[in-house]
Amino acid sequence: MNVSFEVEKQSAITRARLGTVQTVHGPVQTPVFMPVGTQATVKTMTPRDLKEIGASIILSNTYHLYLRPGHELIREAGGLHRFMGWDRPVLTDSGGFQVFSLGHINQITEDGVRFSSHIDGSRHFIRPETSMEIQMALGSDIAMAFDQCAPYPCSREETIRALERTTRWAKRCLEVHEHPDQALFGIVQGGMFKDLRTRSAEEICAMDFPGFAIGGLSVGEPKDMYFDLLDHTIDLLPADKPRYVMGVGTPDYLLRGALMGVDMADCVLPTRIARNGGVMSRDGYFSLKNARFARDFGPLDPECDCYACRNFSRAYLRHLVKAREITGFHLVTVHNLTFLLQMMEGLRGAIREDRETAYVEAFLERYYAGSAKG
């Protein structure tokens, strides 16, 4: 397998670590935030834009690409990298979460999930083997095992059934996965029950996947519960394999998670809020739709060197957002992604110097103090 992971430094003061995921499409320095390109594109961004802001890896969605334009078409085009013009690493999720959250599900069986497309109502059946077939056709650098995510809230009995099915499906994924340049990660489930997370981690880790994701978190549970379960689960995963938490994109979740030992994370948040005028800055979150920015001729963030901050004012960007101009959504997206990528770059530098606790505390104190002011 041409995908490997090396821990280059373990912090002396926290569980944070520096690492490198090496793929045939290049290295990924961890801990890392991965922009989400659901349908083979990060919304409003070109591959050139992503490279300019320092993105080293992006995520695409198996469910969406299976439904449109179809994985066989992408295979015919030479794979996902060539199809979308991106020559750096790509991670694809399994499609499981979207099947359960977007598709109208008619039946979950031991063999797979029968559902109706959210696009046109067409009927589909995805098995663990189908998810592997799709992801191998896409040719991503990292693929995810097909799993069943227990919703929140969820009874213990339902959570156990989802956990056991996830384990059985993981074995089936391993049996058919055979892409030499693609690493297959296993996913730990267990809902909001620590003992079930322990059981799931033991079963999934016993299969010796080259990497592990912590699934079933950030699905609506309280923040304290999220971090308590994350803290518990991280310790159950092998120290020499990358650890991936799905669906987190706010500074506290990213930074505090990294201090616990998270290596990889992704979320649609920075691009989604950008399309509504939401801005992340070192002095907090704010909405450009607020009237107080109508005559604010300063940059989104005075300390940011992204293209949007170097060239345009809050007043101008507010005008574009209010007018629903695509350029406005693009520029705010450029900034929000730059903000998170630079935040993680700063964190990696702090870990290298064993000062990550001070970095995180100072960063979050400033960010949330500013957010509180609106």
Side-chain angles (χ1 to χ4, degrees):
M1 182 180 298
N2 292 318
V3 180
S4 62
F5 177 68
E6 179 183 358
V7 177
E8 297 167 354
K9 183 183 190 303
Q10 175 64 58
S11 170
I13 55 177
T14 69
R15 284 177 289 173
R17 71 256 192 93
L18 295 175
T20 300
V21 178
Q22 187 67 55
T23 78
V24 294
H25 290 100
V28 178
Q29 305 300 317
T30 63
V32 65
F33 173 75
M34 301 180 289
V36 176
T38 300
Q39 303 192 77
T41 179
V42 177
K43 283 184 169 51
T44 79
M45 300 285 283
T46 67
R48 182 178 64 185
D49 296 326
L50 292 167
K51 288 183 178 181
E52 287 178 353
I53 67 173
S56 60
I57 180 173
I58 62 173
L59 180 146
S60 284
N61 183 264
T62 295
Y63 168 87
H64 287 280
L65 296 177
Y66 160 73
L67 292 177
R68 183 176 56 192
H71 59 290
E72 289 299 343
L73 184 149
I74 294 176
R75 188 205 302 271
E76 183 181 341
L80 187 56
H81 295 84
R82 184 171 297 176
F83 185 60
M84 66 186 295
W86 173 255
D87 59 5
R88 294 183 180 180
V90 175
L91 181 150
T92 47
D93 58 15
S94 71
F97 182 81
Q98 285 72 26
V99 165
F100 290 106
S101 62
L102 295 179
H104 177 66
I105 297 173
N106 295 92
Q107 188 178 20
I108 304 173
T109 69
E110 186 61 26
D111 197 29
V113 183
R114 191 176 304 280
F115 66 98
S116 298
S117 164
H118 75 289
I119 299 172
D120 59 10
S122 56
R123 304 277 290 160
H124 301 270
F125 190 70
I126 288 187
R127 301 172 173 85
E129 293 82 0
T130 311
S131 177
M132 295 299 95
E133 176 190 345
I134 297 167
Q135 293 185 79
M136 287 189 288
L138 296 176
S140 56
D141 300 273
I142 299 173
M144 305 304 299
F146 195 64
D147 65 321
Q148 182 177 350
C149 176
Y152 177 82
C154 186
S155 70
R156 183 177 179 87
E157 292 71 24
E158 290 177 295
T159 303
I160 290 174
R161 285 196 292 271
L163 180 161
E164 292 176 343
R165 184 170 286 124
T166 292
T167 297
R168 292 191 294 269
W169 284 357
K171 293 178 181 177
R172 289 167 58 183
C173 288
L174 275 174
E175 288 172 357
V176 299
H177 185 265
E178 53 183 14
H179 195 303
D181 295 331
Q182 184 181 72
L184 176 63
F185 282 19
I187 304 179
V188 173
Q189 290 291 344
M192 305 300 142
F193 303 92
K194 286 186 177 179
D195 63 320
L196 297 185
R197 287 207 163 264
T198 299
R199 174 183 167 185
S200 180
E202 290 173 349
E203 294 175 356
I204 298 298
C205 292
M207 297 182 211
D208 198 30
F209 287 95
F212 297 92
I214 300 173
L217 290 181
S218 191
V219 291
E221 74 279 5
K223 181 182 289 190
D224 289 348
M225 179 181 289
Y226 168 87
F227 281 113
D228 185 42
L229 289 164
L230 177 63
D231 183 62
H232 173 78
T233 309
I234 282 286
D235 279 344
L236 304 172
L237 304 180
D240 61 343
K241 304 286 182 68
R243 304 156 175 167
Y244 166 35
V245 176
M246 297 177 278
V248 295
T250 58
D252 57 344
Y253 278 67
L254 290 170
L255 294 175
R256 290 179 60 187
L259 295 187
M260 293 178 178
V262 172
D263 302 301
M264 308 167 69
D266 78 280
C267 194
V268 299
L269 179 71
T271 55
R272 178 173 290 171
I273 64 174
R275 299 193 299 278
N276 198 41
V279 178
M280 293 174 162
S281 78
R282 286 162 180 77
D283 288 308
Y285 168 85
F286 61 88
S287 173
L288 281 171
K289 292 184 176 181
N290 192 310
R292 68 189 177 94
F293 298 119
R295 288 178 169 80
D296 186 335
F297 302 111
L300 294 176
D301 185 335
E303 297 178 29
C304 180
D305 63 356
C306 77
Y307 178 74
C309 289
R310 291 197 316 268
N311 293 281
F312 306 104
S313 68
R314 294 179 178 186
Y316 176 67
L317 294 172
R318 179 180 187 273
H319 157 67
L320 294 182
V321 168
K322 294 282 285 184
R324 306 295 297 172
E325 286 287 346
I326 294 173
T327 300
F329 305 146
H330 164 66
L331 291 171
V332 179
T333 299
V334 166
H335 168 74
N336 283 349
L337 289 177
T338 300
F339 170 80
L340 288 181
L341 293 173
Q342 289 184 349
M343 180 187 79
M344 298 305 288
E345 182 180 8
L347 174 63
R348 292 193 295 271
I351 295 171
R352 189 169 290 108
E353 299 172 1
D354 290 317
R355 54 177 180 84
E356 67 270 16
T357 300
Y359 174 85
V360 169
E361 289 176 352
F363 195 101
L364 294 180
E365 181 180 5
R366 179 177 174 183
Y367 183 84
Y368 286 106
S371 296
K373 296 176 183 178

